[in-house]
């Protein structure tokens, strides 16, 4: 048996935002947390944590209870009960795990099918894992293939045409609520990529006035200047909220930035004028209890499902084409995994051959006398090395070909190791004399 790829995760399909925000793993370092260890049961890990999914993509040793280990460390990191976590997670192994990673990268598993942000988020997660020294040959190959597969899907299908995003869905929801945005003002809380996309869509929808609030004021200024809005520092949040009709919030804060009691105060100064929050952050930025205040309407990311369903139906045909590309790339990756399993056997075969060649070479050189010609010795060494590799070329080629044709390396690895006694097995007592002598 060989190492296997596993995905243990939860997403918008298995857990509501109230669960996703409790188990978010933003900034998680697999090495520092003890998830990966050089000689441990899990040797590689990439952790993806977005508003709609948290997934641990790991490589586990044969026989290791990988899901149990991941669940324990994950729950402990979030200071939440592991029993709650396991109710909402899925565990995929082998080919299913590979197919899932490719589908996530290609945005087929996204809430908004075809949205482009997930690929950037997966690349960022991989970059963090590389910097933490949490990846090796298998996940390096898997993630690079996931990125190239996503590129194929976007190039060869129309899945990304009229590309939409969570931010687009949020603005669409605002349009459904207000019908005409030209008489309303919008406030963006946060100045990241989601806020930038939301600003683009709000302008396209004709919003009357736009403002940006961000903890880093210079970033708020930059975004506001680009879209003709007004910038506020975070200490001016209450003032900005007094003037807004629609608020789209997408900060990376680990806890709420606006409590229900703060919102009651703000509503008094607004003279109870209605305000609509569309909170696309996970963990959520707005206290859900604020929704109970008169004339305060709070929508979270799960409330975007209506908009998303329309998008999904229109992209179904392209999704079928994309799935065919993913199936093809998964088969190619699994073939590479099988060939990877051959490597220790190929190395052992060549080592055995070179060991025999060196032994016979020493005998031959002794026959040349006490002071052999160095040029002759060099020629003999090259000859022995060449013969060794030519003899083993045929069995190695056979192993590779049969693995490719039959899709499984295990049986051929077993046969080859026994045939060439690569594991140094001791013949049984009742073995034929020829076999005993051959050791």
């Amino acid at each position: 048996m060989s190492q296997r790829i596993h995905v243990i995760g939860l997403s918008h399909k298995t857990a509501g935002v109230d669960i996703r925000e409790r188990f978010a793993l933003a900034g998680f370092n697999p090495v520092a947390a003890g998830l990966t260890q050089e000689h441990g049961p899990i040797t590689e890990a990439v952790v993806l944590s977005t508003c709609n999914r948290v997934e641990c993509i790991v490589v586990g040793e044969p026989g290791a209870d990988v899901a149990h280990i991941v669940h324990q460390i994950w729950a402990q990191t979030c200071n939440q009960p592991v029993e709650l976590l396991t109710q909402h997670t899925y565990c995929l192994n082998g080919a299913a795990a590979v197919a899932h990673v490719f589908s996530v990268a290609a945005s087929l598993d996204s809430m908004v099918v075809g949205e482009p942000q997930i690929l950037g988020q997966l690349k960022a997660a991989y970059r963090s894992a590389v910097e933490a020294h949490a990846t090796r040959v298998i996940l390096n190959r898997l993630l690079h293939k996931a990125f190239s597969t996503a590129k194929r899907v976007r190039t060869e299908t129309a899945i990304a045409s009229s590309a939409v995003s969570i931010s687009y869905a949020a603005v669409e929801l605002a349009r459904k609520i207000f019908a005409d945005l030209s008489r309303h003002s919008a406030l963006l809380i946060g100045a990241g990529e989601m806020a930038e996309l939301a600003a683009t869509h709000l302008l396209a929808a004709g919003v009357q006035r736009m403002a940006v609030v961000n903890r880093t004021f210079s970033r708020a200024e930059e975004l506001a200047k680009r879209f003709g809005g007004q910038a506020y520092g975070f200490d001016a949040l209450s003032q900005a909220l007094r003037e807004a009709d629609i608020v789209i919030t997408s900060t990376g804060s680990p806890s709420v930035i606006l409590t229900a009691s703060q919102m009651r105060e703000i509503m008094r100064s607004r003279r109870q004028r209605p305000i609509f929050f569309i909170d696309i952050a996970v963990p959520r930025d707005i206290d859900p209890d604020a929704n109970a205040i008169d004339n305060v309407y709070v929508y979270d990311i799960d409330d975007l499902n209506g908009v998303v369903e329309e998008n999904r139906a229109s992209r179904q045909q392209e999704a079928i084409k994309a799935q065919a590309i993913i199936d093809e790339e998964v088969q190619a990756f699994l073939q590479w995994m099988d060939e990877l399993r051959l490597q220790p056997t190929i190395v052992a075969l060549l080592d055995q051959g070179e060991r025999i060649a060196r032994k016979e070479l020493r005998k031959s050189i002794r026959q040349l006398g006490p002071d052999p010609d160095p040029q002759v010795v060099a020629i003999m060494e090259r000859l022995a090395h060449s013969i060794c590799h030519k003899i083993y070329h045929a069995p190695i080629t056979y192993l590779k070909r049969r693995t490719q044709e039959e899709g499984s390396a295990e049986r051929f690895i077993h046969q080859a190791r026994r045939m060439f006694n690569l594991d140094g097995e001791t013949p049984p007592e009742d073995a034929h004399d020829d076999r005993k002598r051959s050791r």
Side-chain angles (χ1 to χ4, degrees):
M1 294 180 65
S2 304
Q3 291 181 312
R4 296 188 76 193
I5 296 170
H6 307 258
V7 174
I8 297 94
L10 54 78
S11 74
H12 59 98
K13 294 180 178 177
T14 64
V17 65
D18 58 322
I19 296 296
R20 299 202 300 275
E21 65 186 0
R22 292 172 70 173
F23 290 100
L25 287 174
F28 180 79
N29 183 322
V31 177
L35 180 62
T36 58
Q37 299 170 16
E38 188 167 354
H39 301 295
I42 296 176
T43 55
E44 303 183 54
V46 172
V47 176
L48 174 66
S49 185
T50 73
C51 57
N52 276 324
R53 68 181 65 246
V54 184
E55 292 183 340
C56 299
I57 307 164
V58 302
V59 174
E61 291 295 320
D65 192 348
V66 170
H68 176 76
I69 296 167
V70 170
H71 280 132
Q72 291 293 329
I73 293 177
W74 186 352
Q76 188 178 16
T77 302
C78 298
N79 198 26
Q80 297 290 330
V82 70
E83 296 79 10
L84 178 63
L85 175 62
T86 54
Q87 288 174 29
H88 298 279
T89 54
Y90 40 84
C91 303
L92 306 170
N93 309 309
V98 174
H100 180 78
V101 173
F102 287 6
S103 293
V104 168
S107 190
L108 291 193
D109 199 58
S110 294
M111 176 184 272
V112 182
V113 174
E115 56 92 5
Q117 289 167 292
I118 186 62
L119 183 58
Q121 291 165 332
L122 186 59
K123 286 181 176 178
Y126 172 60
R127 192 161 49 246
S128 296
V130 170
E131 289 170 358
H133 304 289
T135 65
R136 298 182 192 173
V137 63
I138 294 178
L139 286 195
N140 286 339
R141 176 82 173 197
L142 176 71
L143 271 297
H144 282 288
K145 286 304 293 180
F147 302 149
S148 63
T149 299
K151 186 176 181 182
R152 265 197 74 189
V153 167
R154 300 185 82 79
T155 304
E156 297 178 23
T157 75
I159 197 86
S161 63
S162 302
V164 296
S165 62
I166 292 293
S167 301
Y168 169 84
V171 174
E172 281 299 291
L173 179 60
R175 283 161 59 101
K176 285 178 185 293
I177 294 168
F178 290 99
D180 180 9
L181 297 187
S182 64
R183 292 179 296 163
H184 299 281
S185 60
L187 171 66
L188 300 174
I189 305 179
E193 185 183 359
M194 279 189 167
E196 194 171 330
L197 284 169
T200 303
H201 294 303
L202 282 167
L203 279 183
V207 71
Q208 182 188 58
R209 195 172 70 85
M210 188 159 51
V212 182
V213 169
N214 195 51
R215 288 190 191 278
T216 306
F217 182 65
S218 59
R219 176 65 185 142
E221 268 189 317
E222 182 187 330
L223 191 61
K225 184 178 179 183
R226 196 183 322 161
F227 293 99
Q230 183 172 357
Y232 292 91
F234 210 75
D235 54 352
L237 176 61
S238 296
Q239 179 190 343
L241 285 169
R242 288 188 197 103
E243 299 163 6
D245 301 311
I246 308 156
V247 181
I248 297 178
T249 177
S250 60
T251 78
S253 171
S255 56
V256 296
I257 60 170
L258 187 66
T259 65
S261 61
Q262 289 171 318
M263 199 57 223
R264 283 192 189 89
E265 288 294 320
I266 292 167
M267 287 306 287
R268 276 193 279 275
S269 62
R270 287 174 60 91
R271 300 178 186 277
Q272 302 303 320
R273 187 162 49 88
I275 185 169
F276 290 78
F277 288 93
I278 303 174
D279 184 356
I280 54 177
V282 179
R284 286 173 288 186
D285 285 335
I286 310 301
D287 183 352
D289 289 344
N291 206 25
I293 301 170
D294 286 346
N295 293 321
V296 176
Y297 303 90
V298 180
Y299 298 85
D300 63 37
I301 194 165
D302 286 352
D303 292 317
L304 302 180
N305 270 323
V307 178
V308 166
E309 281 304 320
E310 294 172 14
N311 162 267
R312 185 173 291 126
S314 67
R315 287 161 190 258
Q316 193 57 39
Q317 196 58 38
E318 295 306 311
I320 293 170
K321 295 178 191 171
Q323 189 58 54
I325 293 172
I326 288 174
D327 291 345
E328 183 184 321
E329 294 291 345
V330 168
Q331 288 308 310
F333 183 82
L334 294 177
Q335 183 177 313
W336 175 82
M337 286 282 287
D338 273 335
E339 291 176 1
L340 189 65
R341 291 189 187 104
L342 285 177
Q343 287 305 309
T345 300
I346 291 173
V347 170
L349 273 172
L350 293 174
D351 281 349
Q352 183 189 66
E354 293 197 355
R355 198 166 53 248
I356 294 169
R358 284 196 297 273
K359 183 179 176 182
E360 296 304 316
L361 187 63
R362 282 195 297 273
K363 289 181 188 174
S364 300
I365 291 173
R366 277 199 295 272
Q367 293 175 18
L368 296 177
D371 190 19
D373 184 340
Q375 191 173 2
V376 172
V377 171
I379 291 171
M380 290 174 68
E381 286 174 344
R382 285 198 296 273
L383 177 67
H385 180 81
S386 176
I387 290 173
C388 163
H389 278 258
K390 286 185 185 300
I391 287 174
Y392 282 95
H393 176 74
I396 288 171
T397 302
Y398 173 82
L399 281 173
K400 288 182 176 177
R401 191 174 62 246
R402 300 303 293 173
T403 296
Q404 288 174 359
E405 290 172 353
E406 302 201 12
S408 173
E410 300 298 335
R411 184 160 65 91
F412 301 106
I413 290 172
H414 179 70
Q415 288 176 350
R417 298 194 77 86
R418 290 202 67 191
M419 185 183 302
F420 291 93
N421 194 23
L422 296 178
D423 299 313
E425 291 179 355
T426 303
E429 286 299 321
D430 57 351
H432 192 279
D433 287 343
D434 287 348
R435 182 178 173 190
K436 292 178 181 176
R437 282 195 295 271
S438 67
R439 290 191 68 226

